[in-house]
Amino acid sequence: MSGHGLGRPFAFLWSSTALSNLADGVLKVGAPLLAVSMTRSPTLVSLVGAAATLPWLLLALPAGAVADRADRRRIMAGAGAVRAVALAVAALLAASGTLDLWVLLAAVLAAGVAEVFADTSAQAVLPMTVPASQLTRANGRVSSAQQIGNEFAGAPVAGLLVGLLPAAVFGAPALLYAAAALLLLGMRGTYRPTRITTPGSAPAGGTTPNGSPAASGPGRRTPRRASGRAPSGPLLREIGEALRFLLAHRVLRSLAITAGLLNLANSAYFAVFVLWAVGDGSAIGLPPEGYGLMMTAFAAGAVLGSLLAERIAGIFGEFRALTSCWLASSLLLLVPVVAPSPWALYPTAVLWGVCGAAANVLVISTRQRLIPPELLGRVNSAYRLVGMGGMPLGAALGGVVAEFAGLPAVLLGSIGVCLLGVGLVRHALADRISRPLTSSAALPDITRSL
């Protein structure tokens, strides 16, 4: 287990994350490849991406409220069990020869619903397993496990399974999700959030809504594996509290809006990219195994980016590093369009991985430091609603635009939206980016003057 120096609970959390993301990787790559074998319609193929991300739009806020009420470890284990059962049923249908596009979409949608609850709780439970000073390091290790599973291992496995045994595209992830749920039993203790405050003070940990750090002193501790009463008011009131915090916090609000634009555009781009890249009639002409290799190249870069994120932030500062990674990722999307060749695609995929994973680690660590512990599930889910809610729209829009205007229009339009998003966040946080470079990646140094 990759938990050396971070404790036993984190080691089990990391191991569970590694297995569940390997399952994600097989399903993420295998489902679109199965869809391409059934239809060449951009609209129908893009429905796979829409089905995977639609649950974030519909369920992100309720999932966050649940994560702030219940034991976060148990939510993750339950979500893993649901995914295992749903995909096992799909595997049986595929083995019986009744697999069609609609069965595939239903399986992806069911896995996506469970993913919302699992991922929301996972990001909220991690700060309960490690000290705040170790968040960037811990997130880097989790992100590297995610990339290895999602892309490095899952992608080539999916490419092989599609050709050899399509039912295993569902059956293998079902077994992995079940094993991941069992590993969470090793995280002993209770992982239910507890509201700890003193009269007239800000919530424990994090920053106040205007961005200033919460006070410290007696009674101002951040619980780790805390037990006690979680928030228990009306669900809508708790969701409203999280939305108000997010909208009032300039840094979080700016990052969420930019993430929303980037994810919408990237969803449109990659929903149809398989048609640009795979098949005899495509621009690049990759076989399915070559597409899996591209995802492996992406994963190799992502592992490197995850492990280097803390060092990069320490040299340049977190916001400068974050926006630079976003800008580079956006510009790199041009390469497969202007140079549609496997020899250009594979090194570009490595760089996509480096920039994307480093940015992901930095933005997650930023949120975990800025959001009070008892609001973490809800505000994280509100952030991800803004940041990821447009993904199903982007995927569907990419398919429709490609149907009528062609694939290049989608790819180039998506790049333009990405560049717009990066420009907006650089303008909104210009006072954070233009300051002298710092060797410290600690958020309190950034948030003291917000």
Side-chain angles (χ1 to χ4, degrees), residues 2 6 27 37-38 42 69 86 102 132 170 199 202 217 235 256 263 276 286 301 305 345 354 360 389 404 413 415:
S2 184
L6 294 173
L27 192 62
S37 71
M38 299 173 187
R69 285 171 171 244
W102 305 111
F170 302 114
L235 194 66
N263 283 324
W276 182 259
L286 293 177
L345 177 62
V354 171
N360 193 46
F404 293 98
I415 295 166

PDB file of all heavy atoms in Angstrom, residues 2 6 27 37-38 42 69 86 102 132 170 199 202 217 235 256 263 276 286 301 305 345 354 360 389 404 413 415:
ATOM      1  N   SER A   2       0.443   2.273  -0.760  1.00  0.00           N
ATOM      2  CA  SER A   2       1.231   3.496  -0.856  1.00  0.00           C
ATOM      3  C   SER A   2       0.804   4.481   0.198  1.00  0.00           C
ATOM      4  O   SER A   2       0.374   5.592  -0.076  1.00  0.00           O
ATOM      5  CB  SER A   2       1.079   4.106  -2.251  1.00  0.00           C
ATOM      6  OG  SER A   2       1.892   5.219  -2.403  1.00  0.00           O
ATOM      7  N   LEU A   6       1.843   8.275   5.920  1.00  0.00           N
ATOM      8  CA  LEU A   6       0.534   8.933   5.969  1.00  0.00           C
ATOM      9  C   LEU A   6      -0.479   8.144   6.795  1.00  0.00           C
ATOM     10  O   LEU A   6      -1.621   8.581   6.918  1.00  0.00           O
ATOM     11  CB  LEU A   6       0.000   9.150   4.549  1.00  0.00           C
ATOM     12  CG  LEU A   6       0.812  10.137   3.701  1.00  0.00           C
ATOM     13  CD1 LEU A   6       0.301  10.153   2.269  1.00  0.00           C
ATOM     14  CD2 LEU A   6       0.761  11.536   4.298  1.00  0.00           C
ATOM     15  N   LEU A  27     -14.016   0.728 -17.725  1.00  0.00           N
ATOM     16  CA  LEU A  27     -15.345   1.136 -18.182  1.00  0.00           C
ATOM     17  C   LEU A  27     -15.289   2.405 -19.028  1.00  0.00           C
ATOM     18  O   LEU A  27     -15.989   2.530 -20.039  1.00  0.00           O
ATOM     19  CB  LEU A  27     -16.249   1.352 -16.962  1.00  0.00           C
ATOM     20  CG  LEU A  27     -17.746   1.496 -17.232  1.00  0.00           C
ATOM     21  CD1 LEU A  27     -18.299   0.222 -17.873  1.00  0.00           C
ATOM     22  CD2 LEU A  27     -18.487   1.799 -15.929  1.00  0.00           C
ATOM     23  N   SER A  37     -18.352   0.166 -31.969  1.00  0.00           N
ATOM     24  CA  SER A  37     -18.564  -1.097 -32.694  1.00  0.00           C
ATOM     25  C   SER A  37     -20.029  -1.312 -33.041  1.00  0.00           C
ATOM     26  O   SER A  37     -20.352  -2.159 -33.879  1.00  0.00           O
ATOM     27  CB  SER A  37     -18.056  -2.275 -31.853  1.00  0.00           C
ATOM     28  OG  SER A  37     -18.906  -2.506 -30.732  1.00  0.00           O
ATOM     29  N   MET A  38     -20.931  -0.541 -32.411  1.00  0.00           N
ATOM     30  CA  MET A  38     -22.364  -0.683 -32.668  1.00  0.00           C
ATOM     31  C   MET A  38     -22.895   0.387 -33.608  1.00  0.00           C
ATOM     32  O   MET A  38     -23.894   0.168 -34.301  1.00  0.00           O
ATOM     33  CB  MET A  38     -23.132  -0.608 -31.343  1.00  0.00           C
ATOM     34  CG  MET A  38     -22.773  -1.686 -30.341  1.00  0.00           C
ATOM     35  SD  MET A  38     -23.587  -1.389 -28.747  1.00  0.00           S
ATOM     36  CE  MET A  38     -22.841  -2.664 -27.736  1.00  0.00           C
ATOM     37  N   PRO A  42     -22.092  10.124 -34.509  1.00  0.00           N
ATOM     38  CA  PRO A  42     -21.504  10.941 -33.445  1.00  0.00           C
ATOM     39  C   PRO A  42     -22.480  11.225 -32.303  1.00  0.00           C
ATOM     40  O   PRO A  42     -22.092  11.245 -31.134  1.00  0.00           O
ATOM     41  CB  PRO A  42     -21.102  12.238 -34.164  1.00  0.00           C
ATOM     42  CG  PRO A  42     -20.923  11.842 -35.589  1.00  0.00           C
ATOM     43  CD  PRO A  42     -21.952  10.770 -35.823  1.00  0.00           C
ATOM     44  N   ARG A  69     -23.655  14.329   6.391  1.00  0.00           N
ATOM     45  CA  ARG A  69     -24.557  13.798   7.410  1.00  0.00           C
ATOM     46  C   ARG A  69     -24.150  12.406   7.884  1.00  0.00           C
ATOM     47  O   ARG A  69     -24.332  12.064   9.045  1.00  0.00           O
ATOM     48  CB  ARG A  69     -25.991  13.691   6.850  1.00  0.00           C
ATOM     49  CG  ARG A  69     -26.739  15.001   6.722  1.00  0.00           C
ATOM     50  CD  ARG A  69     -28.042  14.785   5.958  1.00  0.00           C
ATOM     51  NE  ARG A  69     -28.881  15.982   5.995  1.00  0.00           N
ATOM     52  CZ  ARG A  69     -30.068  16.035   6.567  1.00  0.00           C
ATOM     53  NH1 ARG A  69     -30.556  14.960   7.162  1.00  0.00           N
ATOM     54  NH2 ARG A  69     -30.775  17.147   6.556  1.00  0.00           N
ATOM     55  N   ALA A  86     -24.628  -3.620 -10.369  1.00  0.00           N
ATOM     56  CA  ALA A  86     -25.154  -3.121 -11.648  1.00  0.00           C
ATOM     57  C   ALA A  86     -24.331  -3.634 -12.825  1.00  0.00           C
ATOM     58  O   ALA A  86     -24.884  -4.068 -13.852  1.00  0.00           O
ATOM     59  CB  ALA A  86     -25.168  -1.598 -11.640  1.00  0.00           C
ATOM     60  N   TRP A 102     -28.435   0.502 -25.742  1.00  0.00           N
ATOM     61  CA  TRP A 102     -29.236   0.999 -24.636  1.00  0.00           C
ATOM     62  C   TRP A 102     -28.895   0.276 -23.333  1.00  0.00           C
ATOM     63  O   TRP A 102     -28.918   0.884 -22.263  1.00  0.00           O
ATOM     64  CB  TRP A 102     -30.723   0.860 -24.985  1.00  0.00           C
ATOM     65  CG  TRP A 102     -31.010   1.547 -26.284  1.00  0.00           C
ATOM     66  CD1 TRP A 102     -31.354   0.949 -27.468  1.00  0.00           C
ATOM     67  CD2 TRP A 102     -30.896   2.943 -26.553  1.00  0.00           C
ATOM     68  NE1 TRP A 102     -31.472   1.892 -28.448  1.00  0.00           N
ATOM     69  CE2 TRP A 102     -31.205   3.132 -27.927  1.00  0.00           C
ATOM     70  CE3 TRP A 102     -30.581   4.061 -25.781  1.00  0.00           C
ATOM     71  CZ2 TRP A 102     -31.194   4.375 -28.534  1.00  0.00           C
ATOM     72  CZ3 TRP A 102     -30.562   5.310 -26.378  1.00  0.00           C
ATOM     73  CH2 TRP A 102     -30.872   5.461 -27.733  1.00  0.00           C
ATOM     74  N   ALA A 132      -3.490  18.428   7.821  1.00  0.00           N
ATOM     75  CA  ALA A 132      -3.678  19.428   6.771  1.00  0.00           C
ATOM     76  C   ALA A 132      -2.383  19.717   6.023  1.00  0.00           C
ATOM     77  O   ALA A 132      -2.389  19.974   4.825  1.00  0.00           O
ATOM     78  CB  ALA A 132      -4.245  20.715   7.373  1.00  0.00           C
ATOM     79  N   PHE A 170     -17.699  -5.213 -18.564  1.00  0.00           N
ATOM     80  CA  PHE A 170     -18.531  -4.971 -17.384  1.00  0.00           C
ATOM     81  C   PHE A 170     -18.148  -5.872 -16.214  1.00  0.00           C
ATOM     82  O   PHE A 170     -18.171  -5.462 -15.067  1.00  0.00           O
ATOM     83  CB  PHE A 170     -20.008  -5.188 -17.727  1.00  0.00           C
ATOM     84  CG  PHE A 170     -20.509  -4.320 -18.833  1.00  0.00           C
ATOM     85  CD1 PHE A 170     -20.909  -4.869 -20.043  1.00  0.00           C
ATOM     86  CD2 PHE A 170     -20.573  -2.947 -18.682  1.00  0.00           C
ATOM     87  CE1 PHE A 170     -21.368  -4.076 -21.071  1.00  0.00           C
ATOM     88  CE2 PHE A 170     -21.027  -2.133 -19.705  1.00  0.00           C
ATOM     89  CZ  PHE A 170     -21.420  -2.697 -20.907  1.00  0.00           C
ATOM     90  N   PRO A 199     -18.541  29.967  20.267  1.00  0.00           N
ATOM     91  CA  PRO A 199     -19.512  31.025  20.051  1.00  0.00           C
ATOM     92  C   PRO A 199     -18.887  32.203  19.311  1.00  0.00           C
ATOM     93  O   PRO A 199     -17.817  32.694  19.665  1.00  0.00           O
ATOM     94  CB  PRO A 199     -19.935  31.405  21.480  1.00  0.00           C
ATOM     95  CG  PRO A 199     -19.673  30.168  22.284  1.00  0.00           C
ATOM     96  CD  PRO A 199     -18.461  29.555  21.679  1.00  0.00           C
ATOM     97  N   ALA A 202     -15.795  31.476  13.355  1.00  0.00           N
ATOM     98  CA  ALA A 202     -15.985  30.853  12.058  1.00  0.00           C
ATOM     99  C   ALA A 202     -15.954  29.350  12.223  1.00  0.00           C
ATOM    100  O   ALA A 202     -15.531  28.837  13.245  1.00  0.00           O
ATOM    101  CB  ALA A 202     -14.882  31.314  11.102  1.00  0.00           C
ATOM    102  N   GLY A 217      -7.133  28.650  17.982  1.00  0.00           N
ATOM    103  CA  GLY A 217      -7.057  28.804  19.422  1.00  0.00           C
ATOM    104  C   GLY A 217      -7.799  27.682  20.088  1.00  0.00           C
ATOM    105  O   GLY A 217      -8.139  26.688  19.472  1.00  0.00           O
ATOM    106  N   LEU A 235     -32.508  19.294   4.522  1.00  0.00           N
ATOM    107  CA  LEU A 235     -31.525  19.061   3.468  1.00  0.00           C
ATOM    108  C   LEU A 235     -31.357  20.285   2.582  1.00  0.00           C
ATOM    109  O   LEU A 235     -30.227  20.677   2.240  1.00  0.00           O
ATOM    110  CB  LEU A 235     -31.953  17.852   2.636  1.00  0.00           C
ATOM    111  CG  LEU A 235     -30.895  17.247   1.711  1.00  0.00           C
ATOM    112  CD1 LEU A 235     -29.770  16.635   2.534  1.00  0.00           C
ATOM    113  CD2 LEU A 235     -31.522  16.189   0.815  1.00  0.00           C
ATOM    114  N   ALA A 256     -14.280  27.477  -9.739  1.00  0.00           N
ATOM    115  CA  ALA A 256     -15.412  26.642 -10.143  1.00  0.00           C
ATOM    116  C   ALA A 256     -15.920  27.028 -11.529  1.00  0.00           C
ATOM    117  O   ALA A 256     -16.207  26.152 -12.363  1.00  0.00           O
ATOM    118  CB  ALA A 256     -16.534  26.755  -9.112  1.00  0.00           C
ATOM    119  N   ASN A 263     -14.318  21.838 -18.382  1.00  0.00           N
ATOM    120  CA  ASN A 263     -14.907  20.505 -18.451  1.00  0.00           C
ATOM    121  C   ASN A 263     -15.982  20.409 -19.524  1.00  0.00           C
ATOM    122  O   ASN A 263     -16.108  19.376 -20.198  1.00  0.00           O
ATOM    123  CB  ASN A 263     -15.481  20.109 -17.092  1.00  0.00           C
ATOM    124  CG  ASN A 263     -14.405  19.700 -16.121  1.00  0.00           C
ATOM    125  OD1 ASN A 263     -13.420  19.084 -16.493  1.00  0.00           O
ATOM    126  ND2 ASN A 263     -14.575  20.034 -14.850  1.00  0.00           N
ATOM    127  N   TRP A 276     -12.443  10.901 -34.445  1.00  0.00           N
ATOM    128  CA  TRP A 276     -11.321  11.574 -35.108  1.00  0.00           C
ATOM    129  C   TRP A 276     -10.082  10.675 -35.119  1.00  0.00           C
ATOM    130  O   TRP A 276      -9.256  10.742 -36.025  1.00  0.00           O
ATOM    131  CB  TRP A 276     -11.030  12.883 -34.385  1.00  0.00           C
ATOM    132  CG  TRP A 276      -9.920  13.730 -34.965  1.00  0.00           C
ATOM    133  CD1 TRP A 276      -8.638  13.832 -34.514  1.00  0.00           C
ATOM    134  CD2 TRP A 276     -10.023  14.623 -36.070  1.00  0.00           C
ATOM    135  NE1 TRP A 276      -7.928  14.726 -35.278  1.00  0.00           N
ATOM    136  CE2 TRP A 276      -8.758  15.234 -36.247  1.00  0.00           C
ATOM    137  CE3 TRP A 276     -11.060  14.977 -36.944  1.00  0.00           C
ATOM    138  CZ2 TRP A 276      -8.500  16.170 -37.249  1.00  0.00           C
ATOM    139  CZ3 TRP A 276     -10.806  15.911 -37.943  1.00  0.00           C
ATOM    140  CH2 TRP A 276      -9.540  16.494 -38.085  1.00  0.00           C
ATOM    141  N   LEU A 286      -6.113   5.289 -35.916  1.00  0.00           N
ATOM    142  CA  LEU A 286      -5.672   4.346 -34.892  1.00  0.00           C
ATOM    143  C   LEU A 286      -6.585   3.120 -34.850  1.00  0.00           C
ATOM    144  O   LEU A 286      -7.799   3.236 -35.047  1.00  0.00           O
ATOM    145  CB  LEU A 286      -5.698   5.006 -33.511  1.00  0.00           C
ATOM    146  CG  LEU A 286      -4.726   6.145 -33.214  1.00  0.00           C
ATOM    147  CD1 LEU A 286      -5.002   6.686 -31.821  1.00  0.00           C
ATOM    148  CD2 LEU A 286      -3.286   5.666 -33.323  1.00  0.00           C
ATOM    149  N   GLY A 301       1.998  10.345 -18.193  1.00  0.00           N
ATOM    150  CA  GLY A 301       2.209  11.760 -17.901  1.00  0.00           C
ATOM    151  C   GLY A 301       1.462  12.202 -16.661  1.00  0.00           C
ATOM    152  O   GLY A 301       1.966  13.007 -15.869  1.00  0.00           O
ATOM    153  N   GLY A 305       2.784  14.069 -13.381  1.00  0.00           N
ATOM    154  CA  GLY A 305       2.226  15.350 -12.959  1.00  0.00           C
ATOM    155  C   GLY A 305       1.706  15.324 -11.539  1.00  0.00           C
ATOM    156  O   GLY A 305       1.880  16.285 -10.785  1.00  0.00           O
ATOM    157  N   LEU A 345       0.475  12.426 -31.666  1.00  0.00           N
ATOM    158  CA  LEU A 345      -0.554  12.232 -30.643  1.00  0.00           C
ATOM    159  C   LEU A 345       0.019  11.669 -29.351  1.00  0.00           C
ATOM    160  O   LEU A 345      -0.327  12.141 -28.256  1.00  0.00           O
ATOM    161  CB  LEU A 345      -1.641  11.300 -31.182  1.00  0.00           C
ATOM    162  CG  LEU A 345      -2.771  10.939 -30.216  1.00  0.00           C
ATOM    163  CD1 LEU A 345      -3.540  12.182 -29.796  1.00  0.00           C
ATOM    164  CD2 LEU A 345      -3.707   9.915 -30.844  1.00  0.00           C
ATOM    165  N   VAL A 354       0.483  15.218 -17.791  1.00  0.00           N
ATOM    166  CA  VAL A 354       1.280  15.985 -16.831  1.00  0.00           C
ATOM    167  C   VAL A 354       0.526  17.227 -16.375  1.00  0.00           C
ATOM    168  O   VAL A 354       0.365  17.488 -15.177  1.00  0.00           O
ATOM    169  CB  VAL A 354       2.637  16.377 -17.450  1.00  0.00           C
ATOM    170  CG1 VAL A 354       3.375  17.361 -16.541  1.00  0.00           C
ATOM    171  CG2 VAL A 354       3.501  15.143 -17.678  1.00  0.00           C
ATOM    172  N   ASN A 360      -5.157  19.142 -11.328  1.00  0.00           N
ATOM    173  CA  ASN A 360      -6.167  18.480 -10.507  1.00  0.00           C
ATOM    174  C   ASN A 360      -5.745  18.384  -9.047  1.00  0.00           C
ATOM    175  O   ASN A 360      -6.524  18.679  -8.131  1.00  0.00           O
ATOM    176  CB  ASN A 360      -6.445  17.083 -11.073  1.00  0.00           C
ATOM    177  CG  ASN A 360      -7.679  16.453 -10.484  1.00  0.00           C
ATOM    178  OD1 ASN A 360      -8.726  17.092 -10.369  1.00  0.00           O
ATOM    179  ND2 ASN A 360      -7.573  15.198 -10.115  1.00  0.00           N
ATOM    180  N   GLY A 389     -21.052  19.978 -13.951  1.00  0.00           N
ATOM    181  CA  GLY A 389     -22.449  19.894 -14.374  1.00  0.00           C
ATOM    182  C   GLY A 389     -22.646  20.087 -15.863  1.00  0.00           C
ATOM    183  O   GLY A 389     -23.617  19.582 -16.446  1.00  0.00           O
ATOM    184  N   PHE A 404     -23.653  18.001 -37.716  1.00  0.00           N
ATOM    185  CA  PHE A 404     -24.062  19.006 -38.702  1.00  0.00           C
ATOM    186  C   PHE A 404     -22.905  19.846 -39.236  1.00  0.00           C
ATOM    187  O   PHE A 404     -22.954  20.308 -40.373  1.00  0.00           O
ATOM    188  CB  PHE A 404     -25.118  19.932 -38.092  1.00  0.00           C
ATOM    189  CG  PHE A 404     -26.421  19.254 -37.809  1.00  0.00           C
ATOM    190  CD1 PHE A 404     -26.725  18.801 -36.537  1.00  0.00           C
ATOM    191  CD2 PHE A 404     -27.345  19.039 -38.824  1.00  0.00           C
ATOM    192  CE1 PHE A 404     -27.928  18.160 -36.267  1.00  0.00           C
ATOM    193  CE2 PHE A 404     -28.548  18.399 -38.576  1.00  0.00           C
ATOM    194  CZ  PHE A 404     -28.838  17.959 -37.298  1.00  0.00           C
ATOM    195  N   GLY A 413     -13.742  24.577 -31.713  1.00  0.00           N
ATOM    196  CA  GLY A 413     -14.617  25.349 -30.827  1.00  0.00           C
ATOM    197  C   GLY A 413     -14.343  25.049 -29.367  1.00  0.00           C
ATOM    198  O   GLY A 413     -14.351  25.945 -28.515  1.00  0.00           O
ATOM    199  N   ILE A 415     -11.487  24.133 -28.053  1.00  0.00           N
ATOM    200  CA  ILE A 415     -10.235  24.787 -27.678  1.00  0.00           C
ATOM    201  C   ILE A 415     -10.464  26.263 -27.384  1.00  0.00           C
ATOM    202  O   ILE A 415      -9.922  26.815 -26.424  1.00  0.00           O
ATOM    203  CB  ILE A 415      -9.200  24.610 -28.807  1.00  0.00           C
ATOM    204  CG1 ILE A 415      -8.843  23.131 -28.958  1.00  0.00           C
ATOM    205  CG2 ILE A 415      -7.944  25.436 -28.537  1.00  0.00           C
ATOM    206  CD1 ILE A 415      -8.110  22.811 -30.246  1.00  0.00           C
TER     207      ILE A 415
END
